[in-house]
Amino acid sequence: MMNFKKQRGASFVFWILFVALIGFIVTLGIKLFPVYYKGFATEKIIEDLAIEMQGKNPNKKQLWDLIQRRLDVNSIIGVKKENFVYEKQKKSLEFGVDYEVRLPLVANMDAVVMFNHRQTINIK
């Protein structure tokens, strides 16, 4: 009578695929972390500026200059003036930045990250 041993554990092919998957996820995280970090920093800038400007009536140029100055201090590049959004209504003002970052991942595969940071200020 033949006694076959049962396979125990994972096969070599499984481990190669598992390591490749983990490597891809780590690479993705390394490439996307700086993009999200700058996105969160930009969001914080917009929120802080909205708190600071509450009750004031800043114009478009003043707001953009304040945002640009804070972006420069935090070394955030990629947010341009054409990404700046400014909408004035009777008793409020909505402003922020809308932009996207596209970065290559592997071969012809890109990651596109879109940010939409807006705040509302009540004006006098």
Side-chain angles (χ1 to χ4, degrees), residues 87-98:
E87 294 177 23
K88 191 170 188 176
Q89 287 133 16
K90 290 182 181 181
K91 294 189 178 188
S92 66
L93 174 95
E94 185 178 344
F95 74 99
V97 288
D98 294 340

Side-chain angles (χ1 to χ4, degrees), residues 18-66:
F18 181 72
V19 169
L21 178 66
I22 296 299
F24 179 74
I25 291 171
V26 167
T27 302
L28 190 66
I30 289 171
K31 288 188 176 194
L32 289 178
F33 177 75
V35 173
Y36 276 102
Y37 180 77
K38 290 178 181 182
F40 291 135
T42 304
E43 183 177 21
K44 182 73 172 142
I45 288 169
I46 299 298
E47 288 174 0
D48 291 346
L49 195 56
I51 292 168
E52 183 181 323
M53 290 290 144
Q54 207 62 251
K56 299 178 183 175
N57 191 6
N59 63 24
K60 187 174 185 176
K61 185 180 181 338
Q62 289 171 332
L63 273 177
W64 172 248
D65 288 342
L66 290 169

